[in-house]
Amino acid sequence: MPGEDDRSASADSDEQLLVLPDALRHELKEPMGPIETDADRLLEAVDGPLIAVGDVVTYHFLEAGRPPDVAVVDERTKREAVDEEIRATVTEETTLEATNPPGALSAEMIETLVDAFDREKPTTILVDGEEDLVALPAIVAAPEGASVVYGQPDEGMVHVKVTDDHRAEMRALLERFEGDTERFWDVLE
């Protein structure tokens, strides 16, 4: 029956594919690239697609006049609600929505990220939950030379210029997460 298929597909999309184990948390505290505090200066080093993970990072790029090709926001920064100006600015052009629990990567989040990469126009994904870990699959899925930028609390914006080495490093890290890594890679790729 069509209704049953629709319900089971929806249920699958809510599942947590990967969960960050406590043993890996300390490794994610180290920035994966150089830290910049000035969006204009960071943008000087961007010559391909721009992927922003985080509300404050996305806000800075929008204020600098460079909408990210893909932005992932959750209306929060450092686990607190962002101020109204940031929220209104980063969610104004929301194109897609996804649910993603804290400390995990859901099937729905990964499917939505892949969808965003396939779009021609700048796409903002509004996450119900937490977007913190989305930078990892974004680095794997982004094209060579793309810039994935995420916030480093109280320090600035971390700029990862995507290379095969970065992808390999993120793949190895994601393989150490708990969950269904095989299905995760099927959804991402």
Side-chain angles (χ1 to χ4, degrees):
M1 296 177 72
E4 287 180 29
D5 289 343
D6 293 343
R7 282 191 303 275
S8 65
S10 174
D12 286 348
S13 68
D14 289 338
E15 86 181 274
Q16 295 177 23
L17 290 179
L18 297 182
V19 176
L20 175 65
D22 288 339
L24 283 184
R25 288 187 187 275
H26 71 282
E27 288 184 43
L28 295 180
K29 298 236 185 276
E30 289 300 313
M32 295 182 267
I35 297 175
E36 181 59 68
T37 56
D38 182 276
D40 290 319
R41 195 163 332 130
L42 189 151
L43 286 168
E44 290 172 7
V46 173
D47 56 8
L50 175 62
I51 298 93
V53 178
D55 296 66
V56 175
V57 170
T58 300
Y59 176 78
H60 285 303
F61 290 139
L62 291 169
E63 289 294 296
R66 172 58 164 94
D69 296 282
V70 175
V72 185
V73 300
D74 63 5
E75 300 180 320
R76 304 188 76 67
T77 184
K78 297 192 277 187
R79 310 233 189 279
E80 300 290 327
V82 293
D83 71 41
E84 183 55 31
E85 179 186 348
I86 292 174
R87 190 201 63 73
T89 302
V90 302
T91 61
E92 182 178 3
E93 297 292 328
T94 297
T95 311
L96 300 171
E97 295 184 12
T99 300
N100 193 66
L105 292 165
S106 71
E108 181 180 18
M109 182 70 249
I110 301 307
E111 289 164 357
T112 305
L113 181 65
V114 170
D115 182 10
F117 275 117
D118 289 340
R119 292 174 178 242
E120 298 280 323
K121 292 184 175 183
T123 302
T124 298
I125 303 168
L126 177 59
V127 178
D128 177 10
E130 190 176 277
E131 71 354 37
D132 294 7
L133 294 175
V134 177
L136 305 177
I139 292 168
V140 174
E144 184 81 14
S147 291
V148 175
V149 182
Y150 67 91
Q152 186 80 5
D154 301 318
E155 292 187 50
M157 298 173 281
V158 178
H159 181 194
V160 179
K161 189 96 162 186
V162 177
T163 64
D164 286 338
D165 287 345
H166 284 119
R167 281 195 209 95
E169 188 180 330
M170 290 309 104
R171 282 179 156 283
L173 185 62
L174 287 161
E175 281 289 333
R176 295 168 56 205
F177 276 52
E178 296 168 353
D180 190 347
T181 52
E182 185 176 325
R183 179 138 186 280
F184 171 80
W185 296 119
D186 286 344
V187 174
L188 187 62
E189 300 169 336

